[in-house]
Amino acid sequence: MAAKSFASSADVAVKEQTLEVLGEGVYALTAEGDPNVGAVEGEDFLVCFEALATPAAARQWLARLREHTDKPVKYVVLSHYHAVRVLGASAFDAEVVVAHDHTRALIAERGRQDWESEYGRMPRLFAEPESVPGLTWPTLTFSDRLTIPLGGDRGDLELRYCGRGHTEGDIVAWLPKRKILFAGDLVEAEAALYTGDAFHRDWASSTLDTVASLEAEALVGGRGPVAHGREAVDAAIAQTRHFLATMIREVGTVHERGGTLSEAFGAAHAALVGTYGRWPIFEHCLPFDVTRLWDELCGIDRPVIWTTERDHDIWNQLQA
């Protein structure tokens, strides 16, 4: 049997982008399992949620957005630090770049390594990589909650920290007046999870409980289609929780009996592939997911930094 191509390095197919208007002045761009982005209009400004992997990629999104509004971008909100979400921020020419306190610390600690790692794993997402001017640094951070008044009768946009999950510093953007939630990678709709920097047990329990407690009626996850209606929102949260719980159960069982990382990967793959194997980036992510969970079970609280060398070592051990 031929070895699997490394991560998403062989994924060169262009994904169809879909721009949805979720309500007056609320936009989401999805792309068949590529990272989702969004925007919310204030009275005389825009808040953009996520920045994509390069300024060139971000400018393509902005061109679509400009078909609906010419308001200037005042805020760019980074849900977390991963390169495919943040390195395009310079294209927005925003007054303020917002992230969680932990996200800023993670950029300082591992931003350069993460950039190199993700570029190697997912080169297609990095359109014109030379357009990236360097690491993206937030200019405003917070620890719990930050409210952006949108002006007029538009209500507020609430940025909230729900707890450790996909990373140590994920935040969501919540429009309570519209009941619309931009959940970042804390929730995926019909897309497999990347958990290589995660806190699995927190995420699967208290963090998702907090997300669910908002009772959103529309949810834009990190990847996959927009969830419309409470039933679809609940299903997306439940799918995310089920993926995490299955991994925790399967990997935990192997760890408890003194098995190996390779055995844990095999058990998790067998338990998940029937439901999630057809979804975007499943095969790409799972070796890194299981390795991070194995580290947690071994008592390593904070994720080990991913480097290009470590990426290939794990891939060759578990997936090739």
Side-chain angles (χ1 to χ4, degrees):
M1 181 182 296
K4 294 178 181 177
S5 299
F6 173 68
S8 290
S9 60
D11 178 5
V12 296
V14 176
K15 310 300 183 187
E16 182 179 356
Q17 295 183 333
T18 300
L19 177 60
E20 293 188 49
V21 181
L22 306 182
E24 184 181 356
V26 184
Y27 309 95
L29 187 76
T30 62
E32 298 184 307
D34 276 359
N36 295 336
V37 293
V40 177
E41 288 189 45
E43 191 169 18
D44 56 5
F45 63 88
L46 281 169
V47 182
C48 287
F49 190 73
E50 310 288 32
L52 295 176
T54 66
R59 283 192 289 271
Q60 294 175 16
W61 152 230
L62 284 168
R64 298 287 301 274
L65 187 58
R66 290 307 179 206
E67 296 172 6
H68 297 268
T69 175
D70 61 359
K71 293 176 182 177
V73 179
K74 184 172 183 179
Y75 300 91
V76 169
V77 177
L78 309 177
S79 70
H80 60 287
Y81 80 96
H82 284 142
V84 294
R85 303 288 184 185
V86 306
L87 291 179
S90 62
F92 295 85
D93 196 25
E95 292 182 31
V96 184
V97 179
V98 188
H100 192 267
D101 293 337
H102 292 327
T103 293
R104 195 185 200 289
L106 288 165
I107 293 168
E109 178 188 49
R110 60 186 70 198
R112 173 60 62 174
Q113 296 96 320
D114 180 76
W115 178 355
E116 294 170 354
S117 168
E118 292 197 48
Y119 180 57
R121 294 183 191 181
M122 298 173 280
R124 180 180 54 77
L125 297 182
F126 288 78
E128 298 180 32
E130 68 280 359
S131 67
V132 179
L135 293 173
T136 297
W137 292 96
T139 60
L140 174 64
T141 64
F142 66 98
S143 62
D144 181 47
R145 187 178 301 187
L146 178 71
T147 299
I148 300 175
L150 297 174
D153 61 354
R154 295 175 180 271
D156 295 331
L157 178 67
E158 297 179 2
L159 306 181
R160 298 191 180 199
Y161 180 62
C162 298
R164 301 192 305 181
H166 172 71
T167 72
E168 202 168 4
D170 296 79
I171 59 175
V172 302
W174 170 232
L175 285 162
K177 185 172 182 178
R178 306 288 186 86
K179 307 289 279 186
I180 298 172
L181 180 67
F182 292 89
D185 280 342
L186 286 176
V187 179
E188 307 287 14
E190 297 181 25
L193 306 188
Y194 175 65
T195 73
D197 296 298
F199 297 81
H200 292 80
R201 288 165 290 194
D202 288 5
W203 187 1
S205 55
S206 58
T207 299
L208 282 179
D209 288 346
T210 300
V211 173
S213 72
L214 296 173
E215 299 184 344
E217 294 177 2
L219 182 149
V220 184
R223 295 174 184 261
V226 177
H228 293 281
R230 282 293 305 282
E231 184 176 350
V233 170
D234 290 346
I237 295 171
Q239 169 220 300
T240 303
R241 199 190 302 266
H242 179 262
F243 191 105
L244 293 166
T246 302
M247 280 212 325
I248 291 168
R249 183 190 70 235
E250 296 297 329
V251 176
T253 298
V254 175
H255 186 269
E256 286 174 9
R257 66 170 171 78
T260 66
L261 175 60
S262 293
E263 290 170 339
F265 173 77
H269 190 282
L272 292 165
V273 69
T275 302
Y276 303 103
R278 61 185 174 81
W279 287 356
I281 67 173
F282 173 79
E283 296 290 352
H284 164 171
C285 292
L286 198 63
F288 310 116
D289 295 354
V290 171
T291 299
R292 167 55 188 156
L293 178 52
W294 188 263
D295 283 349
E296 279 189 289
L297 296 171
C298 291
I300 300 172
D301 181 55
R302 298 191 69 250
V304 178
I305 295 173
W306 291 103
T307 63
T308 301
E309 181 180 8
R310 184 169 181 244
D311 287 353
H312 283 273
D313 285 347
I314 292 299
W315 185 268
N316 291 334
Q317 179 182 349
L318 299 182
Q319 192 71 299

